[in-house]
Amino acid sequence: MLIGVLALQGDFDAHRRRLEELGAEVVLVRNPSDFDGLDGLVIPGGESSAFLKLLGEDTFQKLNEFVHSKPTFGTCAGAIMLAREVENPRQAGLNAIDISIRRNAYGRQIDSTIVEAASALGSEPLEMVFIRAPRIESVGKDVEVLARRGDDPVLVRQGSVMAATFHPELSRDQRVHQEFLKLVRNGAR
Ligand code: GLN
């Protein structure tokens, strides 16, 4: 399985390591041609506004096509990129998953936190690392919620797109990436 990790900025290397631990082959994606042949893509955390600035027009177009046709997983800033609607401030979303999302909604950097909660990924609680996290404010009817922080959805899936507002690549728990690789294998959609 060949998985791309968008590597313009942010937390891409931890995703690379986790995916490799789980047996995937990983390509760091920086240019339009890097999308060729990928079975799936991870958009990491970082700063979504910086991603939008750093993506040239051609790479943006390839990214846009990819997320609407192949399995994609966005974490934190990556989830913001995939959303239908982005607030605080308003910014373009790729509209690959029917969620509206609010940037930096849980407070400032010092308020970053680790939460353990139940999830759909098994009986063990899931460790979730939040760093200047966005909040998913609404989900469309076709969106499955796989985990919540309090009442807020924090891990969601629609068709072959997954989004997490936390950083699963920073936990020991491999289940979230495993779930994404399952999606890639089953070629949902
Ligand atoms: N605050 C970032 C944003 O708004 C997301 C933070 C992260 O990816 N850890 O894009």
Side-chain angles (χ1 to χ4, degrees), residues 45-48 76-77 80 103-104 131-132 167:
E47 276 301 321
S48 53
C76 206
I80 296 170
R103 296 178 63 196
N104 302 315
I131 304 173
R132 298 187 68 223
H167 286 263

Side-chain angles (χ1 to χ4, degrees), residues 5 13 40 49 83 104 123 143 155:
V5 179
D13 211 51
S49 49
N104 302 315
S123 51
V143 176
L155 178 63

Side-chain angles (χ1 to χ4, degrees), residues 97 142-146 155-159 161-163 179 183:
I97 185 163
D142 297 328
V143 176
E144 280 172 274
V145 176
L146 303 178
L155 178 63
V156 292
R157 177 170 62 199
Q158 180 181 8
V161 175
M162 268 172 71
E179 192 65 23
L183 202 63

Side-chain angles (χ1 to χ4, degrees), residues 9-11 44-51 75-81 86-89 91 102-105 107 109 112 129-134 164-167 169-170:
Q9 187 258 351
D11 197 21
E47 276 301 321
S48 53
S49 49
F51 291 169
T75 60
C76 206
I80 296 170
M81 294 292 294
V86 182
E87 284 173 290
N88 190 36
Q91 115 189 342
R102 185 172 195 81
R103 296 178 63 196
N104 302 315
Q109 189 86 43
S112 296
V129 179
F130 291 92
I131 304 173
R132 298 187 68 223
T165 57
F166 57 98
H167 286 263
E169 77 285 5
L170 297 181

